[in-house]
Amino acid sequence: MAEAVAWVMLAVLAAYACAGGTDYGAGFWDLCAGGAERGERPRRLIDHAMEPVWEANNVWLIFLMVIMWTGFPPFFAAVFSAMWLPLVLVVLGLVLRGAGFALRRPARRLTQRRVYGAVFAVSSLLVPFFFGAVIGGVASGRVAPGTPASADAWANPTSAVTGLMAVGATAFLGAVFLTADARRYQAPDLVDYFRLRAWWSLAALVVLAFIGLPVTHHDAAYVWDRITGGVPLALIVVAAATALVTALLLARRALRWCRYTAVAGVVLVIAAWGAAQRPYLLPTSLTVGQAAGVPPTLTWLLIVTGIAVLLVGPGLGLLYWLDTRGKLEALTDADTEEERPPAEPV
Amino acid sequence: MHSAVTLLTDSPPQMLPARQLMAFTLATHILLVPMGVALPFVTLLVHHRGLRRNDPVALQLARRWSAVMAVQFAIGIVTGTILTFEFGLLWPGLMGHWGDVFGLGFGVEGWAFFLEAVMIAIYLYGWRRLDPKVHFWLAVPLPFAALLGAFGIIAANSWMNTPQGFTLDAQGDVVNVTVQQAVFTPIFGPEYWHFAVAMFLTAGYVVAGVYAVGWLRGRRDRYHRLGFTVPFTVAAILTPVQLVVGDTIARAVFHKQPTKFAAMEIVWTTDTHVPEYIFGRLNADGTISGGLKIPQLDSMLAGFKPSTQVTGLTAVPAADRPTPAEATLVHWTFDIMVILGSLLLLLALWYAVAWFRHRDLPRSRWFFRCAAAAGVASLVSVECGWITTEVGRQPWIVYQNMRVAEAVTATRASSLWAMLGVVVALYVVLFSAFLTVLRKLHHHWRIADEGLAPNRPAHAPESDTPYGPREEAGLAAGPSHPSAQDGTPRG
Ligand code: HDD
Ligand code: HEM
Ligand code: HEM
């Protein structure tokens, strides 16, 4: 049962990596869009694409944390103790990002908008980097129950590689989704714009992977040994194949399917990492079984998750469906300011 | 591990900044929660009225409240995310040891927020393109999702106050959990209802307060009348309910958390015929300075007769109870909450009497002055109630099972002080930006309502809310500022 809960946790992590990751990627491209004039159109597309969904996407993270502390309390405590600083930076980044995004629209003056926009974009880069660094620290066995907070836990070669890869993966997802959104909003020039960026970020990921292999060989020995053989390797190979397919689909402008293949690629890599870590949550100091909470709680956690899937699933489906059909549109000044019949005195 | 740390009685240096940080972030988050929980409900009420009676003024109100909801919801999410991280960053001992006992409540809450986020998104962005009926009905489950979220949060908090539903082994580690018992703890029922009613009541008074101010400034049109009446009626109906529920929870605390009750009423020694003090300060030697003393009343309130025995603070060792300073704080916040609650009841009665006598709002300007203050008063009550709950539990993080000192992170105090500084600075900026946005919305609506729209300053013509128009034409055509589709002349 603990194993099942661990897979649920990994699935939620993957969902957050894809849903949240796409938003971070959008922020990354916002950062790279250049000056106010030149970046105007890509930025507008980014705003339009993110608006209705970023809050829902953020909730995956909350749920991930809840599963961590309910299902595997010692694991949660160990990660949050050892990774104190990067996680503080993550949460500050999350606040800045949400606030920067939410407040840049109402800011009417260009300078204010620039400030909020910059805050949003820079923090979109920092959050995935530090999340990646935390994962690298865990995968390289630097966190064990009782490890005090230290710089080594997250400032090490593996963390650097995984942090950069997390940024690369979000940039890739963001670019692929924005390419499809550009088509949806009938902006052919932006289709080419983001397509190019999707290819570039994929190339960057490949380069990073090849740099990462030798760097992490001894640094993250346990995971490295596993990920280079057996099921994890098979998953990695399939992930590489889907990434290649994504690149080809983009080239042929088959934009309907490229989003799914891009997501599949990211999910498969995360699954490979999970499979490689088995049976450990913290290689090589804490197994899934050791970290698991008591059985009744795990049963209930699965039940609550099941009910929630039944409840939230249709809701989320409806949201995405309405969104892709262009049914969701924000209120404008005209809606809230439309003149009322002349004020009737009472 | 658990029992080893118990021996450590004096508190580690990082505890103070950790508590300050937790208290600060919670106290700010809770200001947004009443709106998050109850604003959708109030909005749906006017929305329903607008649809049923084909009332453009009511629909206008509903649209504007949605615009406010959009900003407020975003700020609620970011401040809530910080809280979630703080459980790990500040209290790894709490989650590491008890996560599997009381974490499930948060699980329910997490999914409820999910539903809420999804439905709010559909509601906020559905105004323009969805069929009006469908749009309304898709939002109807919103208040229920909010209540479900509160269920999870309050289950967790009430477990910290009256923990149960687990068995420990010799080392103090959790070996079994009865989930039903851990969720439905003795204080849960009273705490949940008291909290839920507080949220609806507060949201009602806050929203009505805005229109009360408009009314005082002479804007006595139907728009302000409706904007005042609907939320104020909700709040006025709930006020007496809240006092009854408050009385119930006070008695539940008396039975289940006697030490907290002693702190709330600054009772030093266990006794019968205990007097009630209104304010006053508890000294280290157990004497009380200042305050208004009412003989016998405390025993009467707790058990309906003067011979009721009330447990005093000294019934437990000094290390297991709040310090005199903490007790004084709890006592003051409790008294302020009760006094404000009683004043709100008078206000609600005034409204009811005026309504029954001449089917109209009270005419006195003083009524509207008080109504304008009622929103602030209920927010203050909410803060005071939480301080009572949380500080009254000291020095326990899990009542009688884990001390705050055992739960706190091992991170150095200096890092925590630095984080506190950064977070406070961040929140100052965040909340000022939030208030600026609300002020701007208000300003633009005023201008529009007074028919001055053509004189509007020529800013970039986008919406005031975090969310602008999403029309395809705008992007496809490519100019930097597409004109809105509905043809209002812009900029
Ligand atoms: C509008 C807000 C409001 C109003 C008018 C009142 N309260 Fe309250 N009270 C709250 C808002 C609140 C709260 C913020 O919602 C708390 C904090 C924790 C909780 O569950 O509810 C709370 C907590 C709280 C507690 C502590 C519970 C615990 O420690 O577990 C007690 C004993 C009372 N209340 C009693 C009262 C009484 C006797 C009131 C009136 C005569 C009253 N409250 C009015
Ligand atoms: C369900 C929600 C809540 C939970 C789970 C919770 C949990 C906690 C925790 C873990 C602490 C730190 C340990 C301690 O000092 O006991 C704390 C302290 C505190 N909380 Fe709460 N809290 C909740 C709601 C609130 C709210 C809404 C407020 C708003 C005013 C609040 C005010 C405080 C204060 C003032 C302290 C500091 C106590 C002290 O230092 O003496 N709490 N709470
Ligand atoms: C320590 C306690 C608390 C934690 C850890 C916490 C956590 C959170 C989180 C993570 C969010 C954002 C959810 C999202 O991403 O959609 C949030 C928002 C929210 N919180 Fe809190 N919260 C706490 C206290 C409270 C309390 C006491 C309530 C009362 C019911 C509450 C009610 C809400 C609501 C309704 C929202 C939705 C956002 C909104 O409507 O503004 N929270 N909270």
Side-chain angles (χ1 to χ4, degrees):
Chain A
M1 184 142 62
E3 182 93 342
V5 176
W7 283 111
V8 170
M9 182 164 78
L10 198 71
V12 172
L13 173 70
Y16 180 61
C18 294
T22 307
D23 291 348
Y24 293 118
F28 180 83
W29 296 119
D30 186 302
L31 184 64
C32 302
E37 283 282 302
R38 199 153 58 88
E40 165 80 27
R41 280 169 46 71
R43 288 208 174 96
R44 278 177 62 78
L45 178 68
I46 289 166
D47 280 356
H48 283 284
M50 271 181 68
E51 266 168 2
V53 288
W54 75 271
E55 281 157 333
N57 289 346
N58 190 59
V59 190
W60 285 113
L61 174 63
I62 308 301
F63 201 63
L64 174 67
M65 310 246 301
V66 171
I67 297 186
M68 266 173 89
W69 75 49
T70 312
F72 307 99
F75 169 58
F76 177 78
V79 172
F80 271 78
S81 300
M83 295 292 183
W84 198 81
L85 191 59
L87 288 170
V88 167
L89 294 175
V90 161
V91 74
L92 294 179
L94 282 169
V95 172
L96 285 172
R97 204 178 87 90
F101 183 71
L103 295 171
R104 91 163 149 174
R105 301 305 302 258
R108 291 192 172 222
R109 284 196 211 94
L110 191 62
T111 43
Q112 274 182 0
R113 253 184 206 226
R114 278 205 188 129
V115 173
Y116 287 131
V119 164
F120 159 70
V122 171
S123 44
S124 296
L125 184 70
L126 292 182
V127 174
F129 177 79
F130 285 112
F131 267 133
V134 167
I135 289 180
V138 169
S140 58
R142 285 183 164 83
V143 182
T147 306
S150 73
D152 173 64
W154 56 281
N156 60 66
T158 308
S159 288
V161 170
T162 48
L164 289 175
M165 287 193 77
V167 174
T170 59
F172 172 63
L173 281 174
V176 170
F177 273 71
L178 286 168
T179 310
D181 287 326
R183 155 81 68 82
R184 186 147 60 87
Y185 289 112
Q186 292 144 31
D189 56 324
L190 288 181
V191 171
D192 290 335
Y193 178 97
F194 282 114
R195 199 165 64 137
L196 190 65
R197 279 156 180 77
W199 286 328
W200 275 113
S201 36
L202 192 58
L205 274 176
V206 173
V207 172
L208 272 174
F210 280 104
I211 296 177
L213 276 178
V215 170
T216 56
H217 189 168
H218 295 291
D219 203 40
Y222 182 85
V223 173
W224 201 93
D225 285 345
R226 310 267 162 145
I227 217 161
T228 46
V231 177
L233 182 63
L235 290 171
I236 293 279
V237 170
V238 182
T242 55
L244 195 67
V245 171
T246 312
L248 291 175
L249 286 173
L250 284 172
R252 310 199 55 194
R253 292 173 186 274
L255 300 183
R256 177 165 313 182
W257 293 103
C258 65
R259 282 186 290 189
Y260 299 107
T261 53
V263 164
V266 173
V267 171
L268 285 166
V269 172
I270 291 176
W273 165 54
Q277 278 215 17
R278 279 182 57 178
Y280 289 108
L281 281 178
L282 295 173
T284 47
S285 56
L286 189 71
T287 63
V288 170
Q290 289 163 343
V294 296
T297 303
L298 295 187
T299 315
W300 274 95
L301 192 57
L302 288 178
I303 295 174
V304 168
T305 308
I307 296 175
V309 168
L310 291 181
L311 276 177
V312 179
L316 207 57
L318 182 66
L319 176 65
Y320 288 144
W321 184 76
L322 288 173
D323 187 39
T324 44
R325 303 260 322 241
K327 289 273 188 193
L328 298 183
E329 198 173 294
L331 287 168
T332 62
D333 288 351
D335 296 310
T336 51
E337 289 181 11
E338 105 199 348
E339 276 143 63
R340 294 182 281 110
E344 327 94 82
V346 184
Chain B
M1 147 196 124
H2 176 212
S3 45
V5 202
T6 319
L7 303 173
L8 217 136
T9 38
D10 52 344
S11 54
Q14 69 273 27
M15 202 170 104
L16 182 63
R19 282 165 72 178
Q20 299 295 332
L21 182 54
M22 190 75 201
F24 174 73
T25 42
L26 276 162
T28 36
H29 182 70
I30 201 67
L31 291 175
L32 298 162
V33 169
M35 294 312 239
V37 172
L39 188 59
F41 172 73
V42 179
T43 306
L44 286 173
L45 281 184
V46 284
H47 191 168
H48 181 250
R49 190 189 171 105
L51 288 180
R52 270 286 290 280
R53 310 203 182 163
N54 208 355
D55 179 346
V57 176
L59 282 178
Q60 175 78 313
L61 279 168
R63 270 199 297 267
R64 289 184 175 178
W65 292 350
S66 311
V68 173
M69 224 190 290
V71 200
Q72 167 267 319
F73 193 63
I75 308 287
I77 283 195
V78 292
T79 55
T81 310
I82 284 215
L83 286 174
T84 312
F85 272 74
E86 278 176 354
F87 278 118
L89 294 171
L90 304 179
W91 316 108
L94 173 68
M95 301 326 275
H97 199 271
W98 303 102
D100 52 345
V101 187
F102 82 122
L104 208 61
F106 292 108
V108 174
E109 175 228 2
W111 285 117
F113 282 156
F114 221 137
L115 270 179
E116 212 182 332
V118 165
M119 284 188 295
I120 281 214
I122 295 178
Y123 186 64
L124 295 181
Y125 301 107
W127 276 105
R128 309 196 86 203
R129 295 265 172 108
L130 290 179
D131 173 71
K133 281 251 165 52
V134 174
H135 177 228
F136 174 79
W137 283 106
L138 279 178
V140 165
L142 253 178
F144 298 97
L147 283 175
L148 194 65
F151 173 94
I153 287 267
I154 297 298
N157 186 261
S158 58
W159 181 86
M160 290 164 57
N161 288 328
T162 50
Q164 64 168 31
F166 54 88
T167 35
L168 303 177
D169 62 10
Q171 283 85 49
D173 289 325
V174 178
V175 285
N176 197 16
V177 173
T178 319
V179 170
Q180 298 88 313
Q181 277 188 20
V183 170
F184 297 97
T185 58
I187 201 80
F188 171 77
E191 191 172 335
Y192 180 72
W193 290 114
H194 190 59
F195 175 78
V197 175
M199 295 302 104
F200 283 83
L201 179 156
T202 306
Y205 281 131
V206 170
V207 177
V210 174
Y211 295 88
V213 173
W215 193 268
L216 284 171
R217 295 204 177 137
R219 292 180 213 121
R220 310 204 164 183
D221 45 26
R222 213 170 86 72
Y223 172 79
H224 281 82
R225 194 189 169 81
L226 202 60
F228 178 81
T229 321
V230 173
F232 195 87
T233 309
V234 171
I237 293 173
L238 288 176
T239 308
V241 177
Q242 179 68 341
L243 293 209
V244 174
V245 183
D247 186 51
T248 316
I249 192 175
R251 218 159 296 114
V253 172
F254 168 67
H255 290 294
K256 305 294 176 193
Q257 307 171 73
T259 308
K260 185 187 278 182
F261 190 80
M264 278 156 47
E265 305 285 16
I266 43 175
V267 182
W268 188 249
T269 43
T270 307
D271 205 352
T272 55
H273 303 272
V274 177
E276 169 90 24
Y277 280 92
I278 302 192
F279 298 116
R281 194 176 81 237
L282 179 66
N283 301 314
D285 59 1
T287 55
I288 291 168
S289 335
L292 182 66
K293 178 175 173 178
I294 307 173
Q296 315 257 20
L297 185 66
D298 194 32
S299 287
M300 292 280 283
L301 287 175
F304 305 111
K305 50 181 195 293
S307 58
T308 311
Q309 189 181 49
V310 180
T311 310
L313 282 167
T314 48
V316 293
D320 292 354
R321 62 176 193 235
T323 62
E326 282 167 345
T328 305
L329 173 65
V330 171
H331 177 59
W332 276 65
T333 52
F334 178 65
D335 281 3
I336 294 174
M337 168 169 61
V338 175
I339 290 169
L340 289 177
S342 313
L343 292 176
L344 289 175
L345 181 69
L346 293 181
L347 187 67
L349 280 177
W350 189 345
Y351 182 69
V353 168
W355 193 258
F356 284 116
R357 291 222 346 237
H358 41 254
R359 301 268 143 206
D360 197 5
L361 296 176
R363 296 196 186 112
S364 162
R365 284 180 74 79
W366 275 106
F367 173 78
F368 287 95
R369 286 196 187 113
C370 296
V376 181
S378 33
L379 284 173
V380 172
S381 308
V382 168
E383 294 285 1
C384 284
W386 279 106
I387 294 172
T388 308
T389 309
E390 301 292 316
V391 180
R393 194 179 56 235
Q394 300 302 315
W396 305 102
I397 194 166
V398 179
Y399 190 47
Q400 291 175 342
N401 275 278
M402 183 182 259
R403 287 164 197 280
V404 179
E406 298 163 58
V408 73
T409 172
T411 307
R412 278 203 318 274
S414 53
S415 315
L416 287 170
W417 284 115
M419 184 181 173
L420 176 63
V422 174
V423 168
V424 170
L426 199 63
Y427 273 37
V428 169
V429 177
L430 188 68
F431 276 80
S432 6
F434 174 54
L435 291 179
T436 312
V437 166
L438 290 188
R439 286 237 321 277
K440 269 194 192 158
L441 281 175
H442 175 78
H443 182 70
H444 286 280
W445 292 340
R446 272 273 322 283
I447 293 181
D449 289 352
E450 288 171 6
L452 304 172
N455 306 342
R456 189 179 326 166
H459 288 308
E462 263 184 294
S463 88
D464 280 325
T465 62
Y467 313 101
R470 277 161 64 76
E471 70 279 356
E472 287 96 298
L475 271 165
S480 41
H481 297 309
S483 57
Q485 290 172 327
D486 27 56
T488 321
R490 293 296 169 129

